[in-house]
Amino acid sequence: MGTALGVLNRADGSAKFAFEKSSVLCSVFGPTEVKLREEKLDKATLSVIWRPAIGQAGTLEKTYEKTIRETFSSAILLALHPRTSIQITIQVLTEDGSILASAINAASLALIDAGIPMKCAPGAVVCAIDEEGELLLDPLASEIK
């Protein structure tokens, strides 16, 4: 497991997080001006963009975006920044299992690096039980199948 904060110069906050062979880079921009059609009068708008290592984002990646958006919508104090936007961008660098957990951890660290006020700092880990009944923490993609 490895982490690094402030790895991107132009982002308000950024973090790199790796579980074994899976690693992601996360950037946070905001609070910034929001497009008029996305503006919320009483709180900030949270957007999440998932960029896979190869190819275009598909249905699975859209599900990951929704999961991260829902997780951090309840953690970030969005009411402190009405009529603004906070954008979380996840770039997958390498993927071999535990990618969603890596992304949640990277996003949490990037939000802390950006100084975004939160009620809590969400964290994630993947657990699995193999055929012998042993608990696996951070299983590789080959161990999950």
Side-chain angles (χ1 to χ4, degrees), residues 46-136:
L46 180 64
S47 62
V48 177
I49 299 169
W50 184 284
R51 302 204 186 279
I54 300 170
Q56 298 289 326
T59 307
L60 181 61
E61 289 81 12
K62 295 297 178 189
T63 304
Y64 289 162
E65 286 178 1
K66 182 178 183 245
T67 301
I68 292 171
R69 187 172 37 260
E70 289 174 353
T71 299
F72 286 99
S73 288
S74 60
I76 298 171
L77 298 172
L78 296 172
L80 294 179
H81 304 286
R83 298 181 170 187
T84 61
S85 172
I86 298 171
Q87 179 182 326
I88 300 171
T89 304
I90 305 288
Q91 173 64 57
V92 177
L93 302 175
T94 58
E95 183 175 357
D96 192 16
S98 306
I99 199 67
L100 182 58
S102 297
I104 290 171
N105 293 328
S108 191
L109 291 171
L111 287 162
I112 291 169
D113 187 46
I116 304 293
M118 296 189 288
K119 294 179 225 174
C120 61
V125 66
V126 175
C127 300
I129 298 175
D130 65 6
E131 289 94 19
E132 289 92 37
E134 292 187 30
L135 182 66
L136 300 173

Side-chain angles (χ1 to χ4, degrees), residues 17-67:
F17 192 90
F19 269 142
E20 300 226 1
K21 296 179 181 178
S22 295
S23 64
V24 296
L25 182 63
C26 178
S27 65
V28 171
F29 294 93
T32 59
E33 286 187 45
V34 67
K35 294 177 184 173
L36 191 58
R37 63 186 162 104
E38 296 174 355
E39 184 178 63
K40 295 180 183 172
L41 298 175
D42 59 338
K43 62 183 179 178
T45 301
L46 180 64
S47 62
V48 177
I49 299 169
W50 184 284
R51 302 204 186 279
I54 300 170
Q56 298 289 326
T59 307
L60 181 61
E61 289 81 12
K62 295 297 178 189
T63 304
Y64 289 162
E65 286 178 1
K66 182 178 183 245
T67 301

